[in-house]
Amino acid sequence: MSDFEAEDLRKRSLSSENTFEGLVDAQLSRRGFLVGAGAVAATAAATSMITFGVPSEAQAATGFTTVAETTADTVTVPPGYKFDALLPWGDALFEGDAAWGHGAGEINGGNLTTAEQNRRVGYNHDMLAMFANPFGSPASVAAQIAVFNQEYTDPTSMFPDYKAGNPSRNHVDVELAAHGVTIAGIRLVGDTWVHDKAMRVGDTAEGALVARRVTGTTRFTVDGPAKDDPRLAGAVVGTLNNCAGGFTPWGTYLSAEENFNQYFANASGVPAGRTKDNFRILGMTNGASERRWEKFHDRFDLTKNPNEGFKFGWVVEVDPYDPTRRPVKHTAIGRFKHECATVVVQYPEAQTKGKVVVYSGDDERFDYVYKFVTDGTYDSTSPRAKSHFSLLSSGTLYVAKFNANGTGEWLPLTIDNLNTVAAGAFDDQADICLRTREAGDAVGATPMDRPEDVEAPCDPVTFAGTGKVFIACTNNSNRGGSANRPTGTVRSGAIDAANPRANNRTGHIVQINETGNDHTSTTFAWNIYLLAGDPKAATGAVGDVKDTFFGDRFGSPDNVAFDKRGLLWISTDGNPNSYPCNDQVLCTEVAGNGKVRVKRFLVGPAGAEICGPLFSLDNTTFFCNIQHPGEGRASTFPYGAEARPALVAVRRTDGGIVGN
Ligand code: FEO
Ligand code: CA
Ligand code: CA
Ligand code: CA
């Protein structure tokens, strides 16, 4: 980067830092009415603490017309908005390759080979990030590198000749190639985002091609405390079940490996001991896997290759600006069912260098919320500095404990602390990184209602945080019921202050305020931002939330995102389990009386969940991913033919700010 670019970035970051922090504070300055002790009873208690009354539309910060509930098989957006779908599964990433379709010479699920899938968009888009091209461009730049996860394959939807329980070698290998991460250039032409197969890094003829795939067979580097552990010996190949993720101010993409247990078989043959216990805790299958990949690949057979099970469950870093940089698995951030890896930078006052903080949820009933604080510092005056690419290799991993009185602690998962609370339970720091759930159990972390996305509003250029963190707990049908973790060592099904509802069908969002607004702090205050559900339901009905927000009902918040004004947006996964409406995107705003107003902005097509909500830096486009259209219901999204997961770009027809 030239000095001019660095200086320009610094100036922009300073100005936007002030502005953004102010915006977020204005939006979120309400103080928790569901804090701590007695949160269960707080639905009643809240009545005396806040002022009710529905403000008029004129008070709303968002000017769009709320979208009605619908089960239509399309993307429904407010009047004055339009959507475009692009980069569906199977589209060619490179110029000259055959089109997707069912005509002569075209590629489809019936003739798709591994070699073809390796050159095409993968299946079931989840996390989405956009990287300005070239790096550091102004917010309005038309060239963007889109990077998005592929969470999992659905072979019965992908292949017309698939037989459950008896896949062909080609099916399995195409599935491996359809997992991972897709990197593709997109460009705003007029008012439409289009796929640009020819885009090069830097948007100049000299740059490397942007288009690239990272798949279930890509070779990885491993770093951090466990990199030399015997359980990670040999090649580390592939990334699987990449769910949500994050992105860094140095221009890299973070991808979180979530439900990786489903790819492995025959855990029953692993000798009794810590490895077998760990596999049980993570839900590895004892017999044949549903996918049967072990039929063709011994590495997915845990009896034959127990170590392979330790090579997944990590946060992965990919550099979209440098295809020669091998992707990395960061063991320092722990191994569990990572939903996300959200990054903020904690700058000491008036400083340009700060520690990097990564938040992550472990999406399982009764699992934990984590954060990782780097040892090294990020230098915002030189974003692409070489040293930044090893920042995530060393630091301190913490797990959250939510006290009933509205305070909380970040408990360090260090060998010193573990030796204090559970002497002998862990060999060394590497062992903690590999068996992170057990470490969370040992220190007494708070089991949550499936923590999905964790989002911390931050400046879009410097990533300076505000000290606020939001956790989407998607739902927990076992809360108040039977234990979930099959070791029986930790699980209690009881409700608690941070998870206040039994049979929590609709989920909730927890807000953390780090002490001193410092993301490296080891203590925090917390409150419940909202309980999802139906604010108009009869009191006492399942999903009754009339005391925590008003506006549009919804269930199962999964991914959350902030727009550039500091408003929190929510996408759902499982709303149809609660209400007759497809999964959706909603905007939250804080009205004058301190209550949250929820407005439905978008409803997805039949059978799909909505993932990867993201605003362009100039806030004129809302992006999201449509995952598994047609799951459980017929769909022809996006193009009126077979259902294909795809990316969606939503814009105002007048090109204005989305949501205004
Ligand atoms: Fe892959 Fe937790 O959603
Ligand atoms: Ca998903
Ligand atoms: Ca998710
Ligand atoms: Ca989910």
Side-chain angles (χ1 to χ4, degrees):
M1 158 173 307
S2 70
D3 288 340
F4 170 78
E5 286 170 314
E7 177 63 12
D8 190 43
L9 260 182
R10 197 186 64 79
K11 281 186 194 147
R12 279 171 47 207
S13 58
L14 288 177
S15 58
S16 56
E17 185 177 334
N18 297 335
T19 312
F20 188 76
E21 175 127 19
L23 286 168
V24 171
D25 273 337
Q27 294 301 337
L28 302 173
S29 60
R30 63 186 283 274
R31 287 296 169 256
F33 46 84
L34 279 178
V35 176
V40 186
T43 315
T47 311
S48 61
M49 299 164 65
I50 55 173
T51 311
F52 289 107
V54 179
S56 70
E57 277 296 317
Q59 288 179 265
T62 52
F64 65 87
T65 304
T66 191
V67 168
E69 291 185 315
T70 175
T71 55
D73 184 30
T74 185
V75 170
T76 305
V77 293
Y81 286 78
K82 63 145 192 166
F83 81 91
D84 293 291
L86 65 162
L87 292 164
W89 166 57
D91 263 19
L93 289 170
F94 300 98
E95 291 182 299
D97 283 10
W100 182 270
H102 295 268
E106 294 181 328
I107 301 296
N108 56 67
N111 61 14
L112 185 59
T113 63
T114 308
E116 282 289 349
Q117 180 61 72
N118 276 324
R119 298 173 60 82
R120 293 173 181 273
V121 177
Y123 196 85
N124 261 350
H125 311 27
D126 201 304
M127 163 74 191
L128 173 66
M130 294 288 170
F131 295 88
N133 193 19
F135 178 85
S137 298
S140 59
V141 69
Q144 298 280 337
I145 305 175
V147 189
F148 48 104
N149 280 354
Q150 265 65 58
E151 190 176 24
Y152 64 96
T153 49
D154 178 2
T156 55
S157 296
M158 295 168 72
F159 312 117
D161 57 343
Y162 186 81
K163 292 186 179 58
N166 189 24
S168 71
R169 171 80 190 235
N170 186 62
H171 291 147
V172 170
D173 288 353
V174 170
E175 287 189 76
L176 272 162
H179 275 75
V181 179
T182 298
I183 305 169
I186 67 169
R187 195 177 294 276
L188 184 62
V189 179
D191 68 348
T192 303
W193 288 95
V194 296
H195 181 189
D196 181 355
K197 294 178 188 170
M199 187 182 288
R200 291 176 175 274
V201 174
D203 212 21
T204 65
E206 295 75 44
L209 267 183
V210 160
R212 187 149 60 98
R213 286 296 319 282
V214 175
T215 73
T217 61
T218 300
R219 185 75 186 266
F220 277 78
T221 297
V222 178
D223 74 6
K227 73 178 163 58
D228 296 321
D229 190 279
R231 286 164 284 188
L232 297 179
V236 173
V237 175
T239 186
L240 294 169
N241 216 265
N242 304 71
C243 191
F247 40 94
T248 71
W250 54 96
T252 61
Y253 180 78
L254 301 181
S255 178
E257 298 178 336
E258 195 192 24
N259 296 303
F260 60 95
N261 55 305
Q262 65 185 270
Y263 305 97
F264 291 92
N266 300 328
S268 53
V270 177
R274 287 177 176 178
T275 291
K276 194 184 188 80
D277 289 345
N278 178 261
F279 288 172
R280 185 169 58 238
I281 286 169
L282 287 161
M284 301 285 203
T285 310
N286 278 328
S289 72
E290 188 178 335
R291 295 174 175 275
R292 299 291 208 278
W293 289 5
E294 69 275 13
K295 189 176 146 190
F296 304 105
H297 298 283
D298 279 352
R299 69 178 172 123
F300 296 114
D301 184 329
L302 293 169
T303 300
K304 293 175 182 163
N305 282 297
N307 286 348
E308 188 72 11
F310 288 105
K311 293 180 179 176
F312 297 86
W314 303 108
V315 170
V316 163
E317 185 172 13
V318 176
D319 185 356
Y321 295 104
D322 185 358
T324 67
R325 198 187 299 276
R326 183 177 279 181
V328 184
K329 296 201 178 191
H330 291 299
T331 65
I333 311 177
R335 172 173 164 272
F336 47 89
K337 294 184 179 179
H338 279 281
E339 171 74 18
C340 65
T342 298
V343 172
V344 294
V345 179
Q346 183 61 47
Y347 296 96
E349 190 145 353
Q351 299 291 308
T352 55
K353 293 182 185 170
K355 286 180 184 273
V356 177
V357 182
V358 183
Y359 292 91
S360 194
D362 182 351
D363 180 10
E364 188 114 49
R365 289 173 289 191
F366 304 105
D367 265 291
Y368 306 132
V369 176
Y370 298 83
K371 83 171 176 186
F372 173 75
V373 180
T374 59
D375 288 333
T377 55
Y378 168 74
D379 180 352
S380 62
T381 65
S382 181
R384 293 284 289 173
K386 187 162 178 270
S387 61
H388 296 161
F389 293 85
S390 54
L391 276 173
L392 303 183
S393 67
S394 124
T396 305
L397 183 63
Y398 299 89
V399 67
K401 181 180 183 197
F402 296 82
N403 299 319
N405 65 357
T407 65
E409 298 156 66
W410 291 108
L411 306 169
L413 300 181
T414 56
I415 191 63
D416 283 352
N417 192 33
L418 268 299
N419 279 339
T420 303
V421 300
F426 294 86
D427 297 333
D428 50 21
Q429 192 63 40
D431 200 25
I432 292 169
C433 294
L434 284 154
R435 300 190 296 125
T436 308
R437 281 187 170 180
E438 293 93 313
D441 294 350
V443 299
T446 301
M448 304 295 288
D449 285 351
R450 292 188 56 199
E452 294 250 28
D453 208 358
V454 182
E455 199 69 34
C458 69
D459 179 276
V461 175
T462 64
F463 286 50
T466 64
K468 297 177 176 65
V469 183
F470 293 78
I471 303 155
C473 294
T474 194
N475 56 55
N476 185 349
S477 55
N478 276 6
R479 181 68 67 176
S482 59
N484 161 258
R485 186 170 291 176
T487 59
T489 52
V490 166
R491 302 305 86 178
S492 154
I495 56 173
D496 60 31
N499 302 274
R501 290 194 289 189
N503 185 20
N504 182 12
R505 195 173 75 179
T506 48
H508 61 288
I509 296 178
V510 177
Q511 176 176 350
I512 280 177
N513 296 313
E514 298 276 29
T515 300
N517 294 326
D518 182 344
H519 287 280
T520 68
S521 173
T522 56
T523 59
F524 58 86
W526 67 269
N527 60 272
I528 290 181
Y529 180 69
L530 57 74
L531 300 173
D534 183 354
K536 299 182 188 76
T539 301
V542 173
D544 162 29
V545 292
K546 58 165 40 85
D547 295 335
T548 78
F549 75 89
F550 59 89
D552 296 328
R553 65 184 180 180
F554 72 103
S556 298
D558 187 327
N559 296 124
V560 289
F562 283 88
D563 68 16
K564 304 306 175 243
R565 301 162 302 171
L567 294 178
L568 176 72
W569 296 63
I570 301 165
S571 67
T572 69
D573 170 16
N575 185 73
N577 297 332
S578 299
Y579 307 113
C581 177
N582 299 343
D583 274 310
Q584 52 186 314
V585 175
L586 309 107
C587 173
T588 75
E589 60 196 33
V590 177
N593 64 359
K595 267 180 95 177
V596 176
R597 171 208 292 273
V598 173
K599 285 182 75 176
R600 189 179 297 108
F601 174 73
L602 177 153
V603 180
E609 70 170 274
I610 315 295
C611 300
L614 179 73
F615 289 85
S616 64
L617 275 187
D618 64 3
N619 227 93
T620 60
T621 305
F622 171 77
F623 296 102
C624 62
N625 280 325
I626 304 299
Q627 190 184 99
H628 57 72
E631 190 173 273
R633 279 186 57 204
S635 172
T636 61
F637 186 84
Y639 302 137
E642 76 232 89
R644 294 159 75 194
L647 192 158
V648 156
V650 179
R651 290 174 60 82
R652 273 169 55 163
T653 51
D654 66 2
I657 301 295
V658 171
N660 265 12

